[in-house]
Amino acid sequence: NTFSYYLLDTVHVSYALTYTGSLTCVISSLFLMPAWNKAVRHFGWFKVMLFNCLLIALSDVFGMLTTENTVYMYVISSVLYGLNLLGAQKSLAQMLYINLPKKDADLYNTFYNFVLYLGILVGSMLGTWALSALQSADGTLSLFGLQLWPMQLLTGILQKSWI
């Protein structure tokens, strides 16, 4: 995907490190499934989904702040995402089917997907416009003392938009 290309080509993160970040998701899947099942049963899908959305946002912030000098941010992002992956899938997968009327269920699912992808399109268009308006003459943005490229922030936002 675009973010992996950005990490490998622009940030110069080693392929082994990106592969290790992917392995974090696999290992956490093996060990954390019982914990996420227990959390959904105990707290309910909505509270688990809210917690996961906050963790996804935190993971994305660390991912977007990854530069050549701050590769450790990618490691933090990968670990957070790996810990959060199953909880997000368990809670978000149930969202469509809770209180969904049996009649015309396909219509509701189609509307949900239409609004979801329309939101992604509008968000990426507004994000591109805002980033182009905020960048300095050399093409970078200064955020928390780091010089960031606008594409870095935009791909960080869009990398998890499928969730």
Side-chain angles (χ1 to χ4, degrees):
N1 65 24
T2 307
F3 190 68
S4 296
Y5 178 78
Y6 163 76
L7 287 173
L8 293 169
D9 187 54
T10 307
V11 180
H12 305 293
V13 172
S14 69
Y15 183 75
L17 188 60
T18 59
Y19 187 70
T20 304
S22 298
L23 281 178
T24 303
C25 295
V26 174
I27 292 169
S28 67
S29 296
L30 294 172
F31 294 110
L32 293 179
M33 179 61 99
W36 283 115
N37 284 334
K38 209 178 281 187
V40 169
R41 278 194 307 272
H42 186 265
F43 296 108
W45 70 272
F46 185 75
K47 289 180 183 176
V48 173
M49 182 185 68
L50 178 64
F51 178 72
N52 280 302
C53 287
L54 293 173
L55 277 181
I56 287 170
L58 187 63
S59 172
D60 286 346
V61 166
F62 282 115
M64 288 184 293
L65 295 177
T66 301
T67 63
E68 197 168 354
N69 299 327
T70 59
V71 175
Y72 63 90
M73 296 280 197
Y74 173 71
V75 175
I76 294 170
S77 174
S78 295
V79 169
L80 279 175
Y81 187 67
L83 294 174
N84 187 41
L85 179 67
L86 284 174
Q89 289 178 348
K90 288 203 67 67
S91 60
L92 293 174
Q94 296 177 21
M95 186 173 64
L96 277 178
Y97 305 106
I98 304 293
N99 297 328
L100 186 67
K102 298 286 186 214
K103 182 179 179 191
D104 297 328
D106 292 339
L107 182 64
Y108 289 107
N109 285 333
T110 303
F111 178 74
Y112 169 80
N113 285 322
F114 175 75
V115 171
L116 176 75
Y117 291 118
L118 183 64
I120 291 170
L121 175 67
V122 169
S124 64
M125 287 177 9
L126 288 175
T128 302
W129 173 79
L131 290 175
S132 65
L134 294 174
Q135 67 186 358
S136 62
D138 66 348
T140 62
L141 298 166
S142 181
L143 184 67
F144 305 123
L146 298 170
Q147 290 302 108
L148 304 174
W149 294 95
M151 191 62 189
Q152 177 180 355
L153 296 176
L154 191 60
T155 56
I157 292 167
L158 294 177
Q159 73 171 334
K160 305 272 180 13
S161 62
W162 58 271
I163 292 179

